PDB file of all heavy atoms in Angstrom:
ATOM      1  N   GLY A  47     117.077 158.531  53.132  1.00  0.00           N
ATOM      2  CA  GLY A  47     116.986 159.639  52.200  1.00  0.00           C
ATOM      3  C   GLY A  47     116.570 159.187  50.810  1.00  0.00           C
ATOM      4  O   GLY A  47     116.489 157.992  50.502  1.00  0.00           O
ATOM      5  N   ARG A  48     116.301 160.152  49.966  1.00  0.00           N
ATOM      6  CA  ARG A  48     115.894 159.862  48.598  1.00  0.00           C
ATOM      7  C   ARG A  48     117.068 159.244  47.839  1.00  0.00           C
ATOM      8  O   ARG A  48     118.152 159.806  47.790  1.00  0.00           O
ATOM      9  CB  ARG A  48     115.445 161.143  47.916  1.00  0.00           C
ATOM     10  CG  ARG A  48     114.928 160.917  46.507  1.00  0.00           C
ATOM     11  CD  ARG A  48     114.318 162.149  45.934  1.00  0.00           C
ATOM     12  NE  ARG A  48     113.108 162.443  46.700  1.00  0.00           N
ATOM     13  CZ  ARG A  48     112.514 163.634  46.723  1.00  0.00           C
ATOM     14  NH1 ARG A  48     113.040 164.632  46.052  1.00  0.00           N
ATOM     15  NH2 ARG A  48     111.439 163.830  47.436  1.00  0.00           N
ATOM     16  N   ALA A  49     116.819 158.068  47.313  1.00  0.00           N
ATOM     17  CA  ALA A  49     117.829 157.315  46.557  1.00  0.00           C
ATOM     18  C   ALA A  49     119.078 157.031  47.406  1.00  0.00           C
ATOM     19  O   ALA A  49     120.158 156.850  46.863  1.00  0.00           O
ATOM     20  CB  ALA A  49     118.206 158.035  45.269  1.00  0.00           C
ATOM     21  N   GLY A  50     118.916 157.022  48.739  1.00  0.00           N
ATOM     22  CA  GLY A  50     120.036 156.687  49.617  1.00  0.00           C
ATOM     23  C   GLY A  50     121.049 157.791  49.820  1.00  0.00           C
ATOM     24  O   GLY A  50     122.143 157.561  50.342  1.00  0.00           O
ATOM     25  N   ARG A  51     120.692 159.000  49.464  1.00  0.00           N
ATOM     26  CA  ARG A  51     121.656 160.109  49.545  1.00  0.00           C
ATOM     27  C   ARG A  51     122.070 160.455  50.973  1.00  0.00           C
ATOM     28  O   ARG A  51     123.240 160.727  51.233  1.00  0.00           O
ATOM     29  CB  ARG A  51     121.089 161.347  48.858  1.00  0.00           C
ATOM     30  CG  ARG A  51     121.037 161.199  47.364  1.00  0.00           C
ATOM     31  CD  ARG A  51     120.596 162.493  46.715  1.00  0.00           C
ATOM     32  NE  ARG A  51     120.461 162.261  45.278  1.00  0.00           N
ATOM     33  CZ  ARG A  51     119.422 162.636  44.572  1.00  0.00           C
ATOM     34  NH1 ARG A  51     118.423 163.259  45.166  1.00  0.00           N
ATOM     35  NH2 ARG A  51     119.360 162.401  43.292  1.00  0.00           N
ATOM     36  N   THR A  52     121.107 160.448  51.893  1.00  0.00           N
ATOM     37  CA  THR A  52     121.450 160.771  53.288  1.00  0.00           C
ATOM     38  C   THR A  52     122.340 159.710  53.892  1.00  0.00           C
ATOM     39  O   THR A  52     123.337 160.021  54.547  1.00  0.00           O
ATOM     40  CB  THR A  52     120.166 160.961  54.121  1.00  0.00           C
ATOM     41  OG1 THR A  52     119.335 161.937  53.493  1.00  0.00           O
ATOM     42  CG2 THR A  52     120.501 161.406  55.526  1.00  0.00           C
ATOM     43  N   ALA A  53     121.993 158.448  53.665  1.00  0.00           N
ATOM     44  CA  ALA A  53     122.832 157.371  54.187  1.00  0.00           C
ATOM     45  C   ALA A  53     124.232 157.430  53.588  1.00  0.00           C
ATOM     46  O   ALA A  53     125.228 157.225  54.288  1.00  0.00           O
ATOM     47  CB  ALA A  53     122.188 156.011  53.887  1.00  0.00           C
ATOM     48  N   LYS A  54     124.326 157.733  52.310  1.00  0.00           N
ATOM     49  CA  LYS A  54     125.639 157.851  51.659  1.00  0.00           C
ATOM     50  C   LYS A  54     126.435 159.001  52.261  1.00  0.00           C
ATOM     51  O   LYS A  54     127.637 158.876  52.509  1.00  0.00           O
ATOM     52  CB  LYS A  54     125.457 158.064  50.161  1.00  0.00           C
ATOM     53  CG  LYS A  54     126.751 158.104  49.411  1.00  0.00           C
ATOM     54  CD  LYS A  54     126.545 158.249  47.924  1.00  0.00           C
ATOM     55  CE  LYS A  54     127.887 158.331  47.222  1.00  0.00           C
ATOM     56  NZ  LYS A  54     127.749 158.518  45.792  1.00  0.00           N
ATOM     57  N   ALA A  55     125.760 160.114  52.551  1.00  0.00           N
ATOM     58  CA  ALA A  55     126.432 161.254  53.165  1.00  0.00           C
ATOM     59  C   ALA A  55     126.932 160.904  54.568  1.00  0.00           C
ATOM     60  O   ALA A  55     128.056 161.287  54.944  1.00  0.00           O
ATOM     61  CB  ALA A  55     125.503 162.460  53.222  1.00  0.00           C
ATOM     62  N   LEU A  56     126.104 160.177  55.330  1.00  0.00           N
ATOM     63  CA  LEU A  56     126.531 159.748  56.665  1.00  0.00           C
ATOM     64  C   LEU A  56     127.753 158.836  56.553  1.00  0.00           C
ATOM     65  O   LEU A  56     128.709 158.959  57.338  1.00  0.00           O
ATOM     66  CB  LEU A  56     125.396 159.027  57.393  1.00  0.00           C
ATOM     67  CG  LEU A  56     124.223 159.910  57.830  1.00  0.00           C
ATOM     68  CD1 LEU A  56     123.065 159.046  58.296  1.00  0.00           C
ATOM     69  CD2 LEU A  56     124.653 160.867  58.922  1.00  0.00           C
ATOM     70  N   ARG A  57     127.745 157.921  55.601  1.00  0.00           N
ATOM     71  CA  ARG A  57     128.898 157.033  55.405  1.00  0.00           C
ATOM     72  C   ARG A  57     130.146 157.812  55.021  1.00  0.00           C
ATOM     73  O   ARG A  57     131.248 157.504  55.479  1.00  0.00           O
ATOM     74  CB  ARG A  57     128.573 156.000  54.328  1.00  0.00           C
ATOM     75  CG  ARG A  57     127.580 154.961  54.781  1.00  0.00           C
ATOM     76  CD  ARG A  57     127.310 153.925  53.704  1.00  0.00           C
ATOM     77  NE  ARG A  57     126.344 152.954  54.176  1.00  0.00           N
ATOM     78  CZ  ARG A  57     125.088 152.883  53.780  1.00  0.00           C
ATOM     79  NH1 ARG A  57     124.651 153.725  52.846  1.00  0.00           N
ATOM     80  NH2 ARG A  57     124.293 151.979  54.265  1.00  0.00           N
ATOM     81  N   THR A  58     129.977 158.855  54.209  1.00  0.00           N
ATOM     82  CA  THR A  58     131.115 159.679  53.782  1.00  0.00           C
ATOM     83  C   THR A  58     131.721 160.414  54.974  1.00  0.00           C
ATOM     84  O   THR A  58     132.941 160.442  55.145  1.00  0.00           O
ATOM     85  CB  THR A  58     130.673 160.692  52.711  1.00  0.00           C
ATOM     86  OG1 THR A  58     130.158 159.971  51.590  1.00  0.00           O
ATOM     87  CG2 THR A  58     131.826 161.570  52.266  1.00  0.00           C
ATOM     88  N   VAL A  59     130.858 160.997  55.820  1.00  0.00           N
ATOM     89  CA  VAL A  59     131.364 161.734  56.989  1.00  0.00           C
ATOM     90  C   VAL A  59     132.076 160.787  57.949  1.00  0.00           C
ATOM     91  O   VAL A  59     133.178 161.091  58.430  1.00  0.00           O
ATOM     92  CB  VAL A  59     130.208 162.479  57.699  1.00  0.00           C
ATOM     93  CG1 VAL A  59     130.650 163.047  59.034  1.00  0.00           C
ATOM     94  CG2 VAL A  59     129.676 163.584  56.806  1.00  0.00           C
ATOM     95  N   VAL A  60     131.477 159.643  58.236  1.00  0.00           N
ATOM     96  CA  VAL A  60     132.088 158.686  59.153  1.00  0.00           C
ATOM     97  C   VAL A  60     133.392 158.156  58.564  1.00  0.00           C
ATOM     98  O   VAL A  60     134.386 158.016  59.271  1.00  0.00           O
ATOM     99  CB  VAL A  60     131.111 157.523  59.482  1.00  0.00           C
ATOM    100  CG1 VAL A  60     131.826 156.408  60.209  1.00  0.00           C
ATOM    101  CG2 VAL A  60     129.965 158.053  60.311  1.00  0.00           C
ATOM    102  N   GLY A  61     133.411 157.912  57.269  1.00  0.00           N
ATOM    103  CA  GLY A  61     134.638 157.458  56.621  1.00  0.00           C
ATOM    104  C   GLY A  61     135.747 158.493  56.709  1.00  0.00           C
ATOM    105  O   GLY A  61     136.925 158.154  56.874  1.00  0.00           O
TER     106      GLY A  61
END
Side-chain angles (χ1 to χ4, degrees):
R48 183 172 293 161
R51 289 185 184 132
T52 305
K54 183 177 178 182
L56 290 169
R57 288 182 180 107
T58 301
V59 170
V60 169

